[in-house]
Amino acid sequence: MVNPPELYHRILDVPKGTSPQELRAAYKGLAKKWHPDKHPPSSKPEAEARFKAITEAYEALMDQQENRAVFGVCNDGRAGETTGSFGAGACGGARMARTRSDDFCMRSAPATPAREFAKVYSTGNTGGRRAFAEFSSSIMRKAPPLERPLECTLEELCRGCKKQVKFTRDVVTKNGSIVKKEVAQTIMVKPGWRKGHKVTFEGMGDERPGCLPADAIFTVSEKKHSTFKRVGDDLVLKAKVPLVSALTGWSFSFRLLSGKKLNCSFEDEIICPGHEKVIKGEGMPIIGRLGARGDLRVKLEIVFPEQLTEEQCTGLAEILKDCT
């Protein structure tokens, strides 16, 4: 079982020994993110639970820091020793002083809901221990995510598109039973998204009793294209060139993913095996760089004849004998 201070630090995502200023900054950021008024009805229950936990953790840790600063002397026994010199005896006076000191510290600490959990839990009360276990479990545990693929063509990932997705999730009813519910969501695919990109709908996955609602996660998968292959932000196009065209000049045309027609010409050059032509800025859009695109790499493969007649061999030898 995680003890209360450790749990509070986990909730606020701060290390032990964080300053009050850092606690306030962490609290403000999380409270802004999880304020229930900023969430739709679908994720409002999760937001309310998290907001309550964040507030209680912040109050408890701030109270703890204030008490250390103001009443730190109560916890080390020195107050008891000082008061003991005025008592009837050294032992009796010390005992009395510690009792008064402890009582003074307990009465001075504000009773926040989180502090009450800590106090009840530390007394050994089984009911309090059970209540704190339920409290910590509801905050820290979340049902496993509901994961689905989002299949996209290269054209959709290049141009961007709107996709409607439907999925079935488990929902907990008021009486505690679990029923299936079909959900529809819209995903705006942005130009340049890659395979493996994840789209998360917070709190829209399966529900489980005693847990926060799971997230629904869609992962982009890329359908195989008949013409292009994506490599990072570049596109690769492979084309076969007859040997005679590689030696005498060749051109061909094709359509880009955007639909634009492009012509590649090799009229004034001899195409060698493994030749690659790079066309700048005709690849995939680059996320985060407005207007920037990768390159199109045209890889050419020379197609050699499988056999030649004796006459063809003689003719080629004569034609190419002076070529270097």
Side-chain angles (χ1 to χ4, degrees):
M1 175 66 67
V2 178
N3 65 46
E6 288 180 6
L7 176 59
Y8 299 148
H9 283 99
R10 284 191 193 179
I11 294 169
L12 294 179
D13 193 22
V14 294
K16 188 177 179 181
T18 302
S19 68
Q21 292 79 10
E22 291 170 326
L23 280 177
R24 286 192 200 94
Y27 169 71
K28 286 181 179 179
L30 291 171
K32 185 177 180 181
K33 178 181 178 181
W34 292 105
H35 196 288
D37 291 346
K38 294 188 176 183
H39 287 258
S42 58
S43 61
K44 199 161 188 174
E46 178 186 3
E48 288 174 347
R50 286 183 177 270
F51 187 78
K52 180 181 177 182
I54 290 161
T55 302
E56 291 180 350
Y58 172 68
E59 288 178 358
L61 291 178
M62 287 300 288
D63 288 346
Q64 188 181 71
Q65 295 220 5
E66 288 172 7
N67 289 339
R68 280 178 184 168
V70 180
F71 305 115
V73 69
C74 301
N75 299 321
D76 59 11
R78 284 176 292 176
E81 292 170 8
T82 303
T83 312
S85 62
F86 297 97
C91 295
R95 280 199 299 271
M96 184 180 293
R98 280 197 297 271
T99 303
R100 290 174 180 172
S101 174
D102 293 343
D103 181 60
F104 179 69
C105 288
M106 288 299 294
R107 286 186 286 105
S108 301
T112 62
R115 183 176 293 281
E116 289 302 310
F117 270 113
K119 186 174 70 176
V120 174
Y121 181 75
S122 63
T123 62
N125 181 290
T126 56
R129 185 177 288 110
R130 186 164 53 252
F132 187 80
E134 292 173 0
F135 169 75
S136 60
S137 174
S138 66
I139 297 167
M140 303 306 295
R141 289 175 55 204
K142 193 170 190 175
L146 187 155
E147 300 187 73
R148 296 287 185 274
L150 181 67
E151 288 194 343
C152 298
T153 63
L154 264 182
E155 285 84 358
E156 290 172 334
L157 294 174
C158 180
R159 305 173 191 173
C161 67
K162 181 169 72 173
K163 295 183 83 74
Q164 298 287 340
V165 294
K166 291 183 179 181
F167 57 97
T168 302
R169 62 189 293 248
D170 293 340
V171 177
V172 178
T173 63
K174 291 182 179 179
N175 60 12
S177 60
I178 297 177
V179 297
K180 298 288 185 182
K181 181 180 179 182
E182 189 176 78
V183 180
Q185 291 288 341
T186 300
I187 297 177
M188 300 301 297
V189 177
K190 295 183 180 179
W193 275 8
R194 298 187 185 189
K195 176 183 177 180
H197 180 87
K198 295 183 183 294
V199 181
T200 302
F201 295 99
E202 290 190 356
M204 290 300 293
D206 292 333
E207 294 181 359
R208 292 287 183 271
C211 294
L212 292 172
D215 297 334
I217 301 175
F218 286 82
T219 304
V220 172
S221 63
E222 187 179 291
K223 291 182 180 178
K224 187 176 181 180
H225 199 273
S226 58
T227 305
F228 299 101
K229 181 180 179 181
R230 183 177 186 175
V231 180
D233 294 316
D234 294 344
L235 289 173
V236 176
L237 169 64
K238 291 184 177 180
K240 294 184 177 182
V241 186
L243 176 60
V244 64
S245 299
L247 295 172
T248 60
W250 185 66
S251 65
F252 76 110
S253 59
F254 56 91
R255 291 196 178 275
L256 299 170
L257 295 176
S258 61
K260 182 175 71 173
K261 189 175 182 180
L262 189 66
N263 184 67
C264 272
S265 179
F266 303 87
E267 298 296 342
D268 301 324
E269 56 183 305
I270 292 176
I271 302 173
C272 300
H275 182 82
E276 180 176 301
K277 184 181 181 71
V278 178
I279 304 173
K280 294 288 185 181
E282 293 294 352
M284 296 293 289
I286 300 176
I287 290 288
R289 293 172 57 187
L290 186 63
R293 304 179 76 95
D295 301 329
L296 172 62
R297 291 151 47 192
V298 181
K299 294 187 175 183
L300 303 177
E301 179 185 343
I302 311 301
V303 181
F304 288 83
E306 293 184 1
Q307 60 182 12
L308 294 171
T309 65
E310 186 176 339
E311 183 180 353
Q312 288 173 326
C313 288
T314 304
L316 280 173
E318 182 65 27
I319 292 169
L320 300 175
K321 66 180 179 180
D322 294 327
C323 296
T324 57

